[in-house]
Amino acid sequence: MKQSLLFVPTLKDAPSDAEVKSHKLMTRAGLIKQVAAGIYSYLPLGYRVIKKIEKIIREELDKIGASELLLPALQPRDLWDESGRWDKYGPELMRLKDRKDRDFCLGPTHEEVITQVVRDYLNSYKKLPLALYQIQTKFRDEMRPRFGLMRGREFIMKDAYTFTETEADLDTWYQKFSDAYTAIFKRCGLKTRIVSSDVGQIGGDEADEFMVMSEVGEDLITYCTDCDYAANQDHSKLNDGDDCPVCGGTITTAQGIEVGNIFKLGTKYSESMNAKVINEDGQHIPVIMGCYGIGISRTLMASVEQHATDKGLLWPDEITPFHIHILPINVNNETHMTLANTLYTSLKEKGIEVLIDDRKERAGSKFKDSDLMGIPYRIVVGKDAKNGQVEFTNRYESETSLKTIEDILDFF
Ligand code: ATP
Ligand code: MG
């Protein structure tokens, strides 16, 4: 892709309300732009990363046998009355009326809608299990939207729901989702810790959260330094220095960003909304549900927070908006441009995503933008072009060396 055609409005200064590194850099690097508190536009560079995260999620969920659908964001009150949540949800629910004065909300989550979708279809246990997911925009009128995409009022989520006949089948799906999540976050370049959590607003039996340990996280995690025990402090009531309830080791606390979670819902929604099947003994029983969320826009933010330096971003390999950034120092120099274009074409032919900075900007500002954007491999075409050489930087290793076109094509 030619940078002259890519809309990347980089900024010298971060917006004054940006408190954390990821928010400052995401804005300065031209990935997102705020529209109102907690509401953002995803600009081309940022949206490329979002699409990559979505692709990873789709691949891993398709692998476990979940199928994708798309539910409406606009939901009628009746469904929320059936579950009892219209009254319970509180001010986070974005409520509105249609022209006939009927109540609607913009979905903060989709338990009601998905239950409505499957309940007429579900007659026999033979239709089970079902595992469905969607990638969609969610709306929550958060009390304190902040840290850019970390806590938005409009954000992108992957939500999934399972319907099973037995608790044992739910356990199986719960484990499948847990394993898929571990794979997804790993591919997004994130180190996560699975933390047992309070079920909170959603209600149900058992839940786990996927946490990225980070100083800017809003959750406090208690975990054992000797074994795998970890719990959200809301749930565990343990403190620094306490004994681990599992192995007797020492408990430590640290902050974490919740990027995903999985819940065993049980029959909360299937009972209130009458989603039943006839089992082998001919009895009508409510189906057992599980729900599974990933904050896609928050995952993007957490990745930036985990990988960026104060100078700029650095993208993990699988979600980087481009793999290689080619910077010809002087676009009016024919030698520079011929070499840069040859590299650009040959790398693209190999299926590599390449961005070439063909803008008529000064070298200094090209370097600054490139540092900000954090594409992992950079090729500078400058004074050594006359000898067929370019300056190659692997930013994961912070290494720079002179290379020929052949060296570079070999490397990739
Ligand atoms: P939190 O405790 O952070 O409010 P939650 O428990 O309300 O999260 P869920 O309702 O389970 O979250 O939503 C699933 C996922 O969606 C979360 O794990 C998180 O990654 C993401 N998420 C939730 N609220 C927001 C938000 N306001 N902005 C961005 N992402 C969010
Ligand atoms: Mg919440």
Side-chain angles (χ1 to χ4, degrees):
M1 171 118 220
K2 293 190 168 159
Q3 204 168 332
S4 59
L5 290 173
L6 187 69
F7 177 60
V8 192
T10 53
L11 300 173
K12 223 167 110 208
D13 300 307
S16 56
D17 67 330
E19 298 164 75
V20 297
K21 183 174 71 181
S22 50
H23 187 193
K24 289 180 186 162
L25 286 170
M26 292 275 290
T27 312
R28 285 189 54 213
L31 276 86
I32 55 171
K33 183 172 173 62
Q34 189 178 0
V35 178
I39 304 175
Y40 288 84
S41 296
Y42 302 90
L43 308 184
L45 211 54
Y47 196 48
R48 282 181 82 94
V49 182
I50 291 278
K51 284 191 286 187
K52 292 205 170 175
I53 297 173
E54 292 179 351
K55 179 168 177 278
I56 292 172
I57 292 176
R58 289 190 167 104
E59 284 171 8
E60 295 299 330
L61 294 189
D62 292 353
K63 238 187 248 175
I64 62 170
S67 34
E68 186 175 5
L69 45 52
L70 183 61
L71 305 170
L74 194 58
Q75 308 180 8
R77 172 178 177 161
D78 331 354
L79 289 179
W80 288 72
D81 278 335
E82 281 190 50
S83 71
R85 282 208 294 185
W86 184 265
D87 294 324
K88 280 205 205 102
Y89 212 93
E92 259 189 37
L93 191 63
M94 290 273 195
R95 297 161 207 255
L96 64 154
K97 286 187 186 287
D98 71 3
R99 62 170 76 205
K100 293 193 172 140
D101 213 33
R102 282 177 301 219
D103 287 313
F104 282 82
C105 67
L106 291 174
T109 173
H110 282 70
E111 284 78 12
E112 283 80 1
V113 175
I114 194 75
T115 305
Q116 188 267 354
V117 164
V118 302
R119 68 180 167 191
D120 298 330
Y121 162 86
L122 288 178
N123 43 23
S124 155
Y125 69 94
K126 290 176 202 150
K127 299 266 179 82
L128 299 174
L130 277 178
L132 302 166
Y133 74 94
Q134 66 168 340
I135 290 178
Q136 206 212 31
T137 302
K138 297 282 192 268
F139 300 85
R140 294 183 186 179
D141 200 354
E142 298 277 359
M143 184 148 67
R144 278 213 294 163
R146 58 179 191 155
F147 298 170
L149 305 180
M150 209 82 89
R151 185 167 296 283
R153 295 196 298 160
E154 173 177 326
F155 58 96
I156 305 173
M157 195 204 285
K158 184 286 300 172
D159 47 326
Y161 306 88
T162 57
F163 300 85
T164 53
E165 184 195 353
T166 64
E167 295 280 350
D169 290 345
L170 171 62
D171 292 347
T172 306
W173 278 98
Y174 193 80
Q175 193 55 48
K176 280 191 200 185
F177 271 94
S178 179
D179 294 344
Y181 275 30
T182 301
I184 288 165
F185 292 122
K186 189 165 175 231
R187 288 180 63 187
C188 291
L190 286 171
K191 272 203 209 88
T192 49
R193 191 184 270 274
I194 301 178
V195 168
S196 105
S197 77
D198 208 325
V199 287
Q201 187 74 267
I202 302 230
D205 300 310
E206 193 185 326
D208 288 283
E209 295 169 336
F210 287 74
M211 292 284 179
V212 173
M213 305 317 278
S214 161
E215 282 168 1
V216 311
E218 293 182 294
D219 290 271
L220 196 63
I221 318 301
T222 56
Y223 64 95
C224 178
T225 50
D226 303 317
C227 73
D228 278 343
Y229 176 81
N232 196 312
Q233 209 200 23
D234 290 349
H235 191 51
S236 77
K237 309 294 174 234
L238 290 168
N239 286 301
D240 260 318
D242 284 352
D243 291 341
C244 170
V246 175
C247 75
T250 314
I251 289 291
T252 309
T253 58
Q255 280 156 284
I257 302 168
E258 181 196 315
V259 285
N261 56 28
I262 53 180
F263 292 89
K264 291 185 181 174
L265 286 172
T267 56
K268 180 176 152 61
Y269 295 92
S270 53
E271 273 186 55
S272 59
M273 297 186 66
N274 202 26
K276 292 191 173 153
V277 289
I278 301 173
N279 68 12
E280 249 173 312
D281 304 327
Q283 295 164 309
H284 284 264
I285 54 158
V287 287
I288 296 168
M289 289 172 61
C291 76
Y292 316 85
I294 291 181
I296 293 176
S297 36
R298 189 183 283 179
T299 296
L300 159 58
M301 210 68 183
S303 179
V304 170
E305 198 57 46
Q306 200 166 76
H307 296 286
T309 65
D310 287 327
K311 215 168 124 195
L313 306 166
L314 179 58
W315 294 107
D317 181 54
E318 276 213 61
I319 62 168
T320 185
F322 292 94
H323 299 116
I324 302 177
H325 203 179
I326 301 180
L327 266 62
I329 292 287
N330 178 0
V331 291
N332 297 319
N333 181 310
E334 213 172 297
T335 318
H336 291 191
M337 283 321 280
T338 308
L339 188 59
N341 282 325
T342 309
L343 265 172
Y344 176 67
T345 317
S346 331
L347 288 166
K348 271 207 336 188
E349 274 166 10
K350 289 185 159 235
I352 298 169
E353 292 165 289
V354 193
L355 182 67
I356 182 166
D357 193 347
D358 59 337
R359 298 173 304 160
K360 293 184 179 110
E361 298 287 338
R362 285 178 302 108
S365 83
K366 287 191 179 188
F367 275 107
K368 254 200 209 119
D369 281 355
S370 168
D371 284 343
L372 256 182
M373 286 158 68
I375 297 168
Y377 298 100
R378 176 158 78 196
I379 297 170
V380 177
V381 186
K383 62 180 185 335
D384 299 298
K386 57 181 186 297
N387 310 320
Q389 287 185 313
V390 296
E391 206 180 281
F392 176 76
T393 304
N394 175 344
R395 299 165 85 143
Y396 295 130
E397 319 269 322
S398 308
E399 270 175 16
T400 300
S401 57
L402 277 183
K403 290 206 184 313
T404 62
I405 292 197
E406 291 71 37
D407 293 339
I408 288 183
L409 294 179
D410 278 349
F411 183 83
F412 291 100

